[in-house]
Amino acid sequence: MIAMLLGAAALVVGIGQKTFWAPPETVTANMPQLTDEAPLTLIESSVNSPKLDPVELVITAKGEFTASLGRDYDVAAWIGDAAHVSVTGIDTENHKMIAEYTKGKGEVPNPAGADIFFDSQTADKTMTYRWTAPDTGDWSLLLAAGGKDAAPVDISVTYANDDAMPFAVPLIIAGSVLLVFGLALLIMRPAKPKTGTNTQHSVAVAAVLALAISGVSLPMAPSDDSSASPSESAQKSDEAKKSDDSKKPEDEKASEEAPSSASASSSVEETASFPVITEEQLKRVLADAQEQISKADDKTSSKALDSRSAGAFKYLRNKRYEMLKEKFKVDKPLALTTQVIRSAAVPNASEAKFPRVISVVTAKNNDADTLPQALTLVQENARDNFKVVFAGQMLPNSTFPGIAVGDPSTTQLKADSKGLQMTPEKALEALAKVLSDDGAKEKSKFAKSDFIAAVHSAQKDEAKAANEAKVTYKRSVTEGDTKVVSTPDGGAIVTGKLNNKARFIRTEDADPLESKDKLTEQLLGSSSSNGDVESTYAEPVMFYLPADGSKDKIQLISASQVLLDVKEVD
């Protein structure tokens, strides 16, 4: 009876600890009181601990605010020297959040919707945020109320409660054993005294029954070949393995060990390499770039170009707007089509310092007959959005390496980077010489191109139509417009702009120079000239530059020639 009473008591206490005495399934931690205000509140990745999964944040503010999720190093770069409150973790023992204030500038731009963030959510006064990382790596959450007002600091975090009743299960098991044991003794108690053997047998049966009911397994009898203890067997197995390994040649042992080492190294490298922008972010960026530039084209507005264009692209777009406003005979700018991403050279963040560069090939659909466009975009700093610096249709028979977003072997390079057939800046200079002179020695380094052939043909026609005037071409590379991204095969995608000045120098007895087209006549202000004439062109280009040692040739991907000005010169 005593065993049964003890068992019943143990069961009640054990079950109680799992039910009516059990702690709450979740627990909430609150922010400490802070005296200083800041325009930003940073919730670091350590708050989203896997041990506390799932983590749910409740954020309260006086008015509207945003929560923007980004990779921890990108969020830190965006914050820069701004004052901010950092939430660095959770004290799970005391159920309090750990936070600190960092001095800095009191106003920042509104981070909502910035390209560097994976996502931005807006709420009015209250937001319940279930933290889910979109990809591997560490992610941080940035709170802001427009950048001028104080960011929310009234934050609570609810997470799974890991406080447990450690004796609940042992008490339930012990109680069950005692109850069964006591019940067995009660049932099997003999009416008359029995021999000691029978009594011991009854107790054994009850014990086995109790153990079986409580889920404790009994060891099976050892087999004939397992008489040694587990530790002895393991020791013998290890000794036998070492003996076999010692008989193997060194190169054979090395070959067995190498794959695991290489695999581990590769796994670490892949884990640490993250693209500067995810595919979802890239799609959003390209869609917005197409929308904003289309609006600027409709209005021929230079100001409207500012949000999504820079460099050579913006310069040439503005020139075209000026010509259109002055009623020059010129086509509208090429409209961007970014609905489908065909390929994307997106460098990983380890080498992509600001400004960051990406090159992509896009199209309006997946039709194989659709002529794709090649684009290069640049992000000057963490707070700036990506802007188009190059856009042009791909040339016939040209190719762009098929690269997936996030390929860890894609890196950002400089204009003077080594490891290629020549540095990118030298390759641009070589292209300038080839375009200016059909017989340039550098021509052998370039693959056959319809664009190069068309330029040479046009220059020959100009020379013939120059009425005995001497024609010279002088090309130079625009500094600052050269952007380079590596490809997985060790080559690179190079974007740049050439300046071309074509000068027509008349002899004393030569006939007047005649305008060859309506645009030339409009820019010159006359249909002919008795003096020397200089035409200025811009030639934005993108090409593939092979790796050093490759037998491949430099291949033009996209290129165009834009007439900017025609004037008489002394």
Side-chain angles (χ1 to χ4, degrees), residues 145 161 179 247 291 302 306 322 353 404 432 448 474 490 494 564 567:
N161 188 7
L179 273 176
K247 296 177 183 179
E291 180 181 359
S302 299
D306 291 344
E322 291 173 4
K353 311 300 181 184
K448 185 178 179 181
K474 185 177 181 180
V494 181
L564 300 177
K567 62 182 180 180

Side-chain angles (χ1 to χ4, degrees), residues 182-258:
L183 183 62
L185 286 177
L186 184 64
I187 293 173
M188 302 181 69
R189 179 179 296 173
K192 295 180 180 181
K194 300 292 182 179
T195 63
T197 304
N198 289 338
T199 302
Q200 292 175 3
H201 179 71
S202 299
V203 173
V205 170
V208 171
L209 180 61
L211 288 169
I213 293 174
S214 64
V216 179
S217 60
L218 295 174
M220 300 296 292
S223 60
D224 294 339
D225 59 348
S226 60
S227 57
S229 67
S231 60
E232 290 174 344
S233 299
Q235 184 178 358
K236 290 179 181 179
S237 176
D238 290 342
E239 289 176 354
K241 183 177 180 181
K242 290 178 181 177
S243 177
D244 291 342
D245 287 346
S246 65
K247 296 177 183 179
K248 291 182 180 181
E250 290 298 326
D251 58 344
E252 186 176 341
K253 288 190 284 183
S255 65
E256 291 179 355
E257 295 171 0

Side-chain angles (χ1 to χ4, degrees), residues 39 66 114 135 137-138 141 168 214 224 227 229 236 336 371 413 439 489:
T66 59
D135 198 0
D138 293 329
L141 194 66
S214 64
D224 294 339
S227 57
S229 67
K236 290 179 181 179
L336 298 189
L371 194 61
L413 304 177
D489 62 359

